[in-house]
Amino acid sequence: MIAYPLAAKFFEGFSILRWNDRLRPTEFIEIDHHAMKSMITFFLGKSVEDEVTTVDWIKIVDGNVFDLMRKISTSDIHAKIRTKLNNDDAVREAINKKILDDWSNPQYALEKLDDTLIGRFSSYINCQDKSSVESGILTFSHKFTTLNEFEIVKSFNGKDADLDAIETEINVDIDNAVACFNEKRLFIDLVLKIRRHDKGEKLVSLIHFMQRLRYQIRWSQTPRIPSTNVLGHSMLVAVMVYFISLEAGLSKDRIINNFYAALFHDLPEAWTRDIISPIKNADDSISEKVSIIELEIVENEILACIPESWRSHMQFILGHFYEKNGEGIIQPMVSNECGLQEYKIHGEFSNRKSLDPHYKAVRIVPWGKEGKKPEEYLEEMDPMCPGVDGKIIKVCDGLAAYLEASMSVKYGLRSPHLDDGMYNTKTSIIGKQIYGLEIKDFFKSIVF
């Protein structure tokens, strides 16, 4: 089971500031940047597939996680300084060794999660070949997210003499990433439309709208250190889901779907904001109405922006299996009675697997009783079948909430809300089991 020290290490991403030598209207947090970048990689990857080009999705998912790991280890080194350091082979190798040694610390136990993980991470940070489609997707997404941040910073620092040079440098990096697609003869419209902020393109508008998650603070009823928002929270959940999926020995398709399903699990909050659990859970009528509003948002604001060719996959990732009947009432598209009851209980956190390659025939798989033999659960979820382990995402959502509360208490800022949050989240997940992995082992590994 993922160890607390590893999760706490990723939590450091909430304390690393971007553009911290500039006047800015809000703090730009490192883990938020990687969340936004990772979301864009999904849209670009699916668009590349539309051109009948194979995408190695596990390389993109690995890259999203590995880039965050590298950034946490090197903190906020100025981009110009980083470039100069990397241009010196000996210095670059020394920095990469420092990064690798940092994550090889036995307390993180990465080799126990997947014995190939450290090797893949080492290969990634030492690789100088940026010509692959996957590298182009990762680079473009990163640089475009950086450009969006810069445009906000620039408006508050208009008199700084070096702003034009910084903007030129970012644009050159983006153009080089676009050239990667051209070299592969992938003239995808989406890259160019994102590049020029084409507001007439629905998917581009969706990407810009998603950035609102960056400004929506979680636990808004109580101060915390550090403060976290919905976007960064989603990335933390996705990272923990990634590691648990690796440790469970799931297939590549399952790891990919789990990562992106976790990353997008709070996407409707870009429209609803973060409605706190005490409100949602105060009465069944409230939670039911909130669910209906969120479902309408998914249908009208998100899925309506997704190209038809991969809309069913996005629907599967979001766990949105609802439709309107003739009377305009929203109801689940789940015909099996057992699956219907399961879906009503867990919603987007339901375990689900696709019975066809296009994600149009879906089966809801029960969470199952705790203590069930791992092989029985594995057989029911069928790791060779494309699916999403909603139970893993729900557990990691709770672990992330626990970290957000407990870290603040650890740093000396405490409140009844945080105490209640720690108790409630821990109580709700500590007895859970996933593929034989015991959640209680996470809490046993907590060190202060």
Side-chain angles (χ1 to χ4, degrees):
M1 180 61 194
I2 183 174
Y4 171 85
L6 178 59
K9 180 71 171 176
F10 276 99
F11 200 84
E12 292 178 10
F14 288 107
S15 299
I16 301 175
L17 303 180
R18 296 174 57 81
W19 306 100
N20 63 353
D21 58 342
R22 306 283 176 167
L23 179 64
R24 52 206 185 278
T26 186
E27 296 293 9
F28 292 103
I29 310 299
E30 191 63 48
I31 196 169
D32 305 344
H33 173 93
H34 287 268
M36 194 67 223
K37 180 204 80 171
S38 298
M39 288 179 173
I40 295 174
T41 63
F42 181 78
F43 296 143
L44 286 184
K46 296 303 294 185
S47 297
V48 167
E49 284 186 330
D50 274 351
E51 298 204 359
V52 199
T53 299
T54 302
V55 174
D56 192 339
W57 279 100
I58 200 64
K59 285 187 177 179
I60 296 177
V61 172
D62 280 353
N64 284 322
V65 177
F66 293 164
D67 280 338
L68 178 56
M69 291 168 65
R70 173 165 50 189
K71 190 63 178 183
I72 288 173
S73 287
T74 56
S75 192
D76 188 32
I77 299 178
H78 195 287
K80 286 186 177 181
I81 304 302
R82 185 173 61 249
T83 299
K84 290 181 178 180
L85 293 173
N86 286 336
N87 287 337
D88 186 310
D89 291 344
V91 173
R92 183 182 65 253
E93 290 176 7
I95 291 175
N96 288 344
K97 183 179 184 304
K98 165 64 175 65
I99 295 171
L100 194 60
D101 289 345
D102 191 16
W103 289 96
S104 298
N105 190 317
Q107 68 174 332
Y108 303 143
L110 288 179
E111 72 286 348
K112 293 182 180 179
L113 301 178
D114 182 343
D115 58 9
T116 70
L117 190 59
I118 289 294
R120 298 207 313 273
F121 180 47
S122 177
S123 297
Y124 183 82
I125 63 175
N126 284 291
C127 179
Q128 297 299 304
D129 181 13
K130 304 298 181 182
S131 62
S132 69
V133 171
E134 293 77 20
S135 178
I137 289 171
L138 288 163
T139 301
F140 179 89
S141 301
H142 163 53
K143 293 300 180 180
F144 177 76
T145 304
T146 299
L147 181 62
N148 279 345
E149 295 169 351
F150 173 77
E151 288 172 343
I152 296 173
V153 170
K154 184 179 180 181
S155 66
F156 280 78
N157 297 267
K159 296 180 180 179
D160 287 3
D162 60 344
L163 289 176
D164 289 342
I166 293 173
E167 186 171 22
T168 298
E169 185 178 346
I170 296 173
N171 282 315
V172 167
D173 288 339
I174 291 178
D175 290 339
N176 289 339
V178 172
C180 171
F181 294 105
N182 291 338
E183 289 171 4
K184 300 293 181 181
R185 298 186 178 181
L186 296 172
F187 303 97
I188 58 175
D189 287 340
L190 182 59
V191 168
L192 299 177
K193 288 176 178 177
I194 293 176
R195 178 71 180 83
R196 61 177 180 258
H197 300 284
D198 188 346
K199 294 181 180 179
E201 168 62 40
K202 288 184 177 180
L203 196 52
V204 175
S205 296
L206 175 60
I207 289 172
H208 283 283
F209 210 100
M210 287 175 352
Q211 294 183 89
R212 295 187 182 186
L213 295 173
R214 189 171 203 164
Y215 312 119
Q216 295 178 19
I217 302 300
R218 284 172 55 80
W219 304 78
S220 57
Q221 78 276 39
T222 183
R224 288 177 300 116
I225 300 176
S227 177
T228 63
N229 56 49
V230 176
L231 190 59
H233 164 84
S234 298
M235 187 65 183
L236 180 62
V237 174
V239 167
M240 289 193 289
V241 166
Y242 167 83
F243 285 117
I244 290 178
S245 299
L246 284 176
E247 186 179 13
L250 302 185
S251 66
K252 288 183 179 180
D253 283 342
R254 184 66 55 76
I255 294 169
I256 294 160
N257 280 341
N258 282 352
F259 176 81
Y260 282 112
L263 190 64
F264 287 113
H265 81 278
D266 277 337
L267 185 54
E269 291 185 15
W271 289 264
T272 65
R273 300 185 187 174
D274 184 22
I275 302 174
I276 60 176
S277 296
I279 296 297
K280 284 192 286 189
N281 299 332
D283 186 86
D284 288 344
S285 63
I286 299 175
S287 60
E288 183 177 345
K289 187 62 178 179
V290 169
S291 296
I292 290 174
I293 292 172
E294 288 182 345
L295 293 169
E296 291 175 339
I297 286 171
V298 169
E299 189 68 34
N300 301 326
E301 306 293 343
I302 301 175
L303 293 179
C305 298
I306 303 299
E308 181 66 32
S309 57
W310 46 278
R311 188 175 299 165
S312 58
H313 190 192
M314 187 66 180
Q315 184 176 14
F316 185 80
I317 290 293
L318 293 172
H320 175 80
F321 305 118
Y322 281 81
E323 63 182 354
K324 287 184 178 180
N325 63 16
E327 300 175 353
I329 300 173
I330 295 176
Q331 58 186 16
M333 297 182 293
V334 181
S335 56
N336 179 275
E337 186 63 28
C338 177
L340 179 60
Q341 293 303 316
E342 187 75 15
Y343 191 65
K344 286 182 177 178
I345 295 172
H346 299 299
E348 71 272 23
F349 294 112
S350 298
N351 292 328
R352 49 201 183 267
K353 60 183 183 182
S354 178
L355 304 180
D356 77 297
H358 304 292
Y359 298 94
K360 293 185 177 180
V362 177
R363 181 188 168 199
I364 303 296
V365 180
W367 274 25
K369 296 180 180 179
E370 303 306 334
K372 179 178 286 190
K373 293 181 179 179
E375 57 270 19
E376 293 178 8
Y377 187 74
L378 190 67
E379 183 178 353
E380 288 182 17
M381 275 303 290
D382 185 3
M384 300 312 294
C385 184
V388 167
D389 292 273
K391 184 177 182 180
I392 295 180
I393 299 172
K394 181 61 175 178
V395 165
C396 290
D397 191 39
L399 291 177
Y402 179 84
L403 281 167
E404 289 167 344
S406 63
M407 283 296 182
S408 184
V409 172
K410 177 181 177 181
Y411 294 140
L413 189 56
R414 189 170 201 151
S415 73
H417 293 296
L418 297 179
D419 286 337
D420 289 345
M422 284 190 295
Y423 175 79
N424 292 334
T425 53
K426 182 177 180 179
T427 301
S428 67
I429 62 176
I430 192 169
K432 296 289 186 291
Q433 185 186 73
I434 307 170
Y435 296 111
L437 304 176
E438 302 282 355
I439 306 305
K440 63 184 179 183
D441 290 342
F442 172 88
F443 294 99
K444 286 181 179 179
S445 67
I446 290 179
V447 292
F448 290 96

